[in-house]
PDB file of all heavy atoms in Angstrom:
ATOM      1  N   TYR A  14      -7.037  25.754  84.013  1.00 94.00           N
ATOM      2  CA  TYR A  14      -6.531  24.672  83.154  1.00 94.00           C
ATOM      3  C   TYR A  14      -7.660  23.697  82.811  1.00 94.00           C
ATOM      4  O   TYR A  14      -7.809  23.287  81.664  1.00 94.00           O
ATOM      5  CB  TYR A  14      -5.421  23.884  83.857  1.00 94.00           C
ATOM      6  CG  TYR A  14      -4.133  24.630  84.069  1.00 94.00           C
ATOM      7  CD1 TYR A  14      -3.327  24.353  85.164  1.00 94.00           C
ATOM      8  CD2 TYR A  14      -3.695  25.601  83.167  1.00 94.00           C
ATOM      9  CE1 TYR A  14      -2.131  25.029  85.378  1.00 94.00           C
ATOM     10  CE2 TYR A  14      -2.503  26.279  83.373  1.00 94.00           C
ATOM     11  CZ  TYR A  14      -1.733  25.988  84.487  1.00 94.00           C
ATOM     12  OH  TYR A  14      -0.561  26.644  84.692  1.00 94.00           O
ATOM     13  N   TYR A  46      -6.727  12.498  81.515  1.00 94.00           N
ATOM     14  CA  TYR A  46      -5.981  13.431  82.369  1.00 94.00           C
ATOM     15  C   TYR A  46      -6.849  13.898  83.548  1.00 94.00           C
ATOM     16  O   TYR A  46      -6.391  13.962  84.689  1.00 94.00           O
ATOM     17  CB  TYR A  46      -5.499  14.635  81.555  1.00 94.00           C
ATOM     18  CG  TYR A  46      -4.852  15.685  82.419  1.00 94.00           C
ATOM     19  CD1 TYR A  46      -3.534  15.539  82.844  1.00 94.00           C
ATOM     20  CD2 TYR A  46      -5.573  16.792  82.858  1.00 94.00           C
ATOM     21  CE1 TYR A  46      -2.946  16.477  83.675  1.00 94.00           C
ATOM     22  CE2 TYR A  46      -4.992  17.734  83.689  1.00 94.00           C
ATOM     23  CZ  TYR A  46      -3.683  17.569  84.091  1.00 94.00           C
ATOM     24  OH  TYR A  46      -3.119  18.498  84.921  1.00 94.00           O
ATOM     25  N   PHE A  50      -5.495  13.469  87.140  1.00 89.00           N
ATOM     26  CA  PHE A  50      -5.062  14.603  87.944  1.00 89.00           C
ATOM     27  C   PHE A  50      -6.182  15.182  88.796  1.00 89.00           C
ATOM     28  O   PHE A  50      -6.037  15.363  89.995  1.00 89.00           O
ATOM     29  CB  PHE A  50      -4.426  15.693  87.067  1.00 89.00           C
ATOM     30  CG  PHE A  50      -4.015  16.879  87.893  1.00 89.00           C
ATOM     31  CD1 PHE A  50      -2.916  16.788  88.733  1.00 89.00           C
ATOM     32  CD2 PHE A  50      -4.741  18.055  87.873  1.00 89.00           C
ATOM     33  CE1 PHE A  50      -2.545  17.849  89.544  1.00 89.00           C
ATOM     34  CE2 PHE A  50      -4.379  19.124  88.676  1.00 89.00           C
ATOM     35  CZ  PHE A  50      -3.277  19.019  89.508  1.00 89.00           C
ATOM     36  N   LEU A 156       1.652  15.680  94.614  1.00 78.00           N
ATOM     37  CA  LEU A 156       1.831  15.603  93.159  1.00 78.00           C
ATOM     38  C   LEU A 156       3.289  15.907  92.876  1.00 78.00           C
ATOM     39  O   LEU A 156       3.778  16.981  93.212  1.00 78.00           O
ATOM     40  CB  LEU A 156       0.945  16.643  92.454  1.00 78.00           C
ATOM     41  CG  LEU A 156       1.195  16.754  90.950  1.00 78.00           C
ATOM     42  CD1 LEU A 156       0.683  15.531  90.210  1.00 78.00           C
ATOM     43  CD2 LEU A 156       0.556  18.010  90.382  1.00 78.00           C
ATOM     44  N   LEU A 157       3.965  14.954  92.248  1.00 70.00           N
ATOM     45  CA  LEU A 157       5.378  15.190  91.962  1.00 70.00           C
ATOM     46  C   LEU A 157       5.533  15.948  90.656  1.00 70.00           C
ATOM     47  O   LEU A 157       6.303  16.877  90.542  1.00 70.00           O
ATOM     48  CB  LEU A 157       6.129  13.851  91.890  1.00 70.00           C
ATOM     49  CG  LEU A 157       6.074  13.057  93.203  1.00 70.00           C
ATOM     50  CD1 LEU A 157       6.776  11.727  93.055  1.00 70.00           C
ATOM     51  CD2 LEU A 157       6.706  13.869  94.345  1.00 70.00           C
ATOM     52  N   HIS A 158       4.736  15.557  89.666  1.00 78.00           N
ATOM     53  CA  HIS A 158       4.893  16.201  88.363  1.00 78.00           C
ATOM     54  C   HIS A 158       3.565  16.163  87.623  1.00 78.00           C
ATOM     55  O   HIS A 158       2.953  15.105  87.519  1.00 78.00           O
ATOM     56  CB  HIS A 158       5.967  15.464  87.558  1.00 78.00           C
ATOM     57  CG  HIS A 158       6.128  15.996  86.175  1.00 78.00           C
ATOM     58  ND1 HIS A 158       6.607  17.265  85.926  1.00 78.00           N
ATOM     59  CD2 HIS A 158       5.856  15.461  84.966  1.00 78.00           C
ATOM     60  CE1 HIS A 158       6.623  17.479  84.625  1.00 78.00           C
ATOM     61  NE2 HIS A 158       6.172  16.393  84.011  1.00 78.00           N
ATOM     62  N   ASP A 159       3.152  17.314  87.113  1.00 82.00           N
ATOM     63  CA  ASP A 159       1.921  17.351  86.321  1.00 82.00           C
ATOM     64  C   ASP A 159       2.270  16.917  84.891  1.00 82.00           C
ATOM     65  O   ASP A 159       3.039  17.588  84.218  1.00 82.00           O
ATOM     66  CB  ASP A 159       1.370  18.784  86.333  1.00 82.00           C
ATOM     67  CG  ASP A 159       0.034  18.885  85.613  1.00 82.00           C
ATOM     68  OD1 ASP A 159      -0.205  18.091  84.679  1.00 82.00           O
ATOM     69  OD2 ASP A 159      -0.765  19.766  85.974  1.00 82.00           O
ATOM     70  N   PRO A 160       1.722  15.762  84.432  1.00 83.00           N
ATOM     71  CA  PRO A 160       2.142  15.199  83.141  1.00 83.00           C
ATOM     72  C   PRO A 160       1.679  16.004  81.937  1.00 83.00           C
ATOM     73  O   PRO A 160       2.157  15.797  80.821  1.00 83.00           O
ATOM     74  CB  PRO A 160       1.489  13.812  83.128  1.00 83.00           C
ATOM     75  CG  PRO A 160       0.305  13.945  84.026  1.00 83.00           C
ATOM     76  CD  PRO A 160       0.684  14.952  85.084  1.00 83.00           C
ATOM     77  N   LEU A 161       0.745  16.938  82.142  1.00 85.00           N
ATOM     78  CA  LEU A 161       0.233  17.726  81.009  1.00 85.00           C
ATOM     79  C   LEU A 161       0.688  19.177  81.083  1.00 85.00           C
ATOM     80  O   LEU A 161       1.257  19.715  80.130  1.00 85.00           O
ATOM     81  CB  LEU A 161      -1.300  17.651  80.977  1.00 85.00           C
ATOM     82  CG  LEU A 161      -2.006  18.577  79.984  1.00 85.00           C
ATOM     83  CD1 LEU A 161      -1.597  18.258  78.547  1.00 85.00           C
ATOM     84  CD2 LEU A 161      -3.523  18.458  80.121  1.00 85.00           C
ATOM     85  N   PHE A 162       0.423  19.820  82.211  1.00 82.00           N
ATOM     86  CA  PHE A 162       0.685  21.254  82.288  1.00 82.00           C
ATOM     87  C   PHE A 162       2.060  21.574  82.868  1.00 82.00           C
ATOM     88  O   PHE A 162       2.495  22.720  82.819  1.00 82.00           O
ATOM     89  CB  PHE A 162      -0.412  21.945  83.105  1.00 82.00           C
ATOM     90  CG  PHE A 162      -1.733  22.001  82.387  1.00 82.00           C
ATOM     91  CD1 PHE A 162      -2.809  21.241  82.799  1.00 82.00           C
ATOM     92  CD2 PHE A 162      -1.890  22.805  81.270  1.00 82.00           C
ATOM     93  CE1 PHE A 162      -4.024  21.287  82.119  1.00 82.00           C
ATOM     94  CE2 PHE A 162      -3.095  22.864  80.593  1.00 82.00           C
ATOM     95  CZ  PHE A 162      -4.165  22.099  81.015  1.00 82.00           C
ATOM     96  N   GLY A 163       2.734  20.563  83.423  1.00 81.00           N
ATOM     97  CA  GLY A 163       4.075  20.794  83.949  1.00 81.00           C
ATOM     98  C   GLY A 163       5.074  20.924  82.806  1.00 81.00           C
ATOM     99  O   GLY A 163       4.735  20.735  81.641  1.00 81.00           O
ATOM    100  N   GLY A 164       6.332  21.258  83.141  1.00 79.00           N
ATOM    101  CA  GLY A 164       7.374  21.323  82.114  1.00 79.00           C
ATOM    102  C   GLY A 164       7.589  19.918  81.557  1.00 79.00           C
ATOM    103  O   GLY A 164       7.376  18.934  82.265  1.00 79.00           O
ATOM    104  N   ASP A 165       7.986  19.827  80.285  1.00 79.00           N
ATOM    105  CA  ASP A 165       8.252  18.541  79.645  1.00 79.00           C
ATOM    106  C   ASP A 165       7.077  17.562  79.774  1.00 79.00           C
ATOM    107  O   ASP A 165       7.159  16.550  80.475  1.00 79.00           O
ATOM    108  CB  ASP A 165       9.524  17.918  80.256  1.00 79.00           C
ATOM    109  CG  ASP A 165       9.999  16.730  79.442  1.00 79.00           C
ATOM    110  OD1 ASP A 165       9.653  16.666  78.245  1.00 79.00           O
ATOM    111  OD2 ASP A 165      10.680  15.859  80.009  1.00 79.00           O
ATOM    112  N   PRO A 166       5.949  17.870  79.072  1.00 79.00           N
ATOM    113  CA  PRO A 166       4.772  16.993  79.180  1.00 79.00           C
ATOM    114  C   PRO A 166       5.058  15.587  78.656  1.00 79.00           C
ATOM    115  O   PRO A 166       5.903  15.411  77.785  1.00 79.00           O
ATOM    116  CB  PRO A 166       3.732  17.689  78.286  1.00 79.00           C
ATOM    117  CG  PRO A 166       4.501  18.598  77.398  1.00 79.00           C
ATOM    118  CD  PRO A 166       5.744  18.973  78.142  1.00 79.00           C
ATOM    119  N   GLN A 167       4.353  14.625  79.225  1.00 81.00           N
ATOM    120  CA  GLN A 167       4.517  13.233  78.787  1.00 81.00           C
ATOM    121  C   GLN A 167       4.158  13.101  77.311  1.00 81.00           C
ATOM    122  O   GLN A 167       3.300  13.819  76.809  1.00 81.00           O
ATOM    123  CB  GLN A 167       3.554  12.343  79.580  1.00 81.00           C
ATOM    124  CG  GLN A 167       4.161  11.701  80.792  1.00 81.00           C
ATOM    125  CD  GLN A 167       3.109  10.907  81.573  1.00 81.00           C
ATOM    126  OE1 GLN A 167       2.106  10.472  81.020  1.00 81.00           O
ATOM    127  NE2 GLN A 167       3.347  10.746  82.853  1.00 81.00           N
ATOM    128  N   PHE A 170       0.631  13.272  76.018  1.00 86.00           N
ATOM    129  CA  PHE A 170      -0.096  14.523  76.189  1.00 86.00           C
ATOM    130  C   PHE A 170       0.420  15.652  75.295  1.00 86.00           C
ATOM    131  O   PHE A 170      -0.066  16.766  75.376  1.00 86.00           O
ATOM    132  CB  PHE A 170      -0.043  14.971  77.652  1.00 86.00           C
ATOM    133  CG  PHE A 170      -0.846  14.087  78.572  1.00 86.00           C
ATOM    134  CD1 PHE A 170      -0.258  13.449  79.642  1.00 86.00           C
ATOM    135  CD2 PHE A 170      -2.206  13.894  78.354  1.00 86.00           C
ATOM    136  CE1 PHE A 170      -0.995  12.637  80.484  1.00 86.00           C
ATOM    137  CE2 PHE A 170      -2.958  13.084  79.186  1.00 86.00           C
ATOM    138  CZ  PHE A 170      -2.352  12.454  80.258  1.00 86.00           C
ATOM    139  N   ARG A 171       1.431  15.353  74.449  1.00 85.00           N
ATOM    140  CA  ARG A 171       2.031  16.439  73.660  1.00 85.00           C
ATOM    141  C   ARG A 171       1.021  17.070  72.705  1.00 85.00           C
ATOM    142  O   ARG A 171       0.942  18.292  72.594  1.00 85.00           O
ATOM    143  CB  ARG A 171       3.246  15.925  72.876  1.00 85.00           C
ATOM    144  CG  ARG A 171       4.367  15.489  73.792  1.00 85.00           C
ATOM    145  CD  ARG A 171       5.686  16.189  73.472  1.00 85.00           C
ATOM    146  NE  ARG A 171       6.593  16.028  74.598  1.00 85.00           N
ATOM    147  CZ  ARG A 171       7.550  15.097  74.655  1.00 85.00           C
ATOM    148  NH1 ARG A 171       7.756  14.297  73.635  1.00 85.00           N
ATOM    149  NH2 ARG A 171       8.319  15.000  75.720  1.00 85.00           N
ATOM    150  N   ARG A 174      -1.446  19.192  74.530  1.00 86.00           N
ATOM    151  CA  ARG A 174      -0.832  20.451  74.966  1.00 86.00           C
ATOM    152  C   ARG A 174      -0.796  21.460  73.802  1.00 86.00           C
ATOM    153  O   ARG A 174      -1.097  22.631  73.980  1.00 86.00           O
ATOM    154  CB  ARG A 174       0.571  20.136  75.483  1.00 86.00           C
ATOM    155  CG  ARG A 174       1.365  21.327  75.875  1.00 86.00           C
ATOM    156  CD  ARG A 174       1.390  21.547  77.384  1.00 86.00           C
ATOM    157  NE  ARG A 174       2.363  22.555  77.687  1.00 86.00           N
ATOM    158  CZ  ARG A 174       3.195  22.516  78.715  1.00 86.00           C
ATOM    159  NH1 ARG A 174       3.152  21.529  79.563  1.00 86.00           N
ATOM    160  NH2 ARG A 174       4.044  23.476  78.919  1.00 86.00           N
ATOM    161  N   ARG A 183      -2.183  30.706  76.833  1.00 51.00           N
ATOM    162  CA  ARG A 183      -1.972  30.543  78.276  1.00 51.00           C
ATOM    163  C   ARG A 183      -2.509  31.739  79.057  1.00 51.00           C
ATOM    164  O   ARG A 183      -2.247  32.873  78.710  1.00 51.00           O
ATOM    165  CB  ARG A 183      -0.457  30.449  78.495  1.00 51.00           C
ATOM    166  CG  ARG A 183      -0.093  29.675  79.690  1.00 51.00           C
ATOM    167  CD  ARG A 183       1.411  29.464  79.745  1.00 51.00           C
ATOM    168  NE  ARG A 183       1.729  28.796  81.001  1.00 51.00           N
ATOM    169  CZ  ARG A 183       1.452  27.524  81.224  1.00 51.00           C
ATOM    170  NH1 ARG A 183       0.867  26.807  80.303  1.00 51.00           N
ATOM    171  NH2 ARG A 183       1.741  26.989  82.372  1.00 51.00           N
TER     172      ARG A 183
END
Side-chain angles (χ1 to χ4, degrees):
Y14 291 149
Y46 174 80
F50 178 72
L156 173 71
L157 299 178
H158 176 66
D159 184 331
L161 171 62
F162 289 110
D165 191 23
Q167 265 176 25
F170 290 122
R171 295 235 164 98
R174 176 101 170 221
R183 208 172 175 73

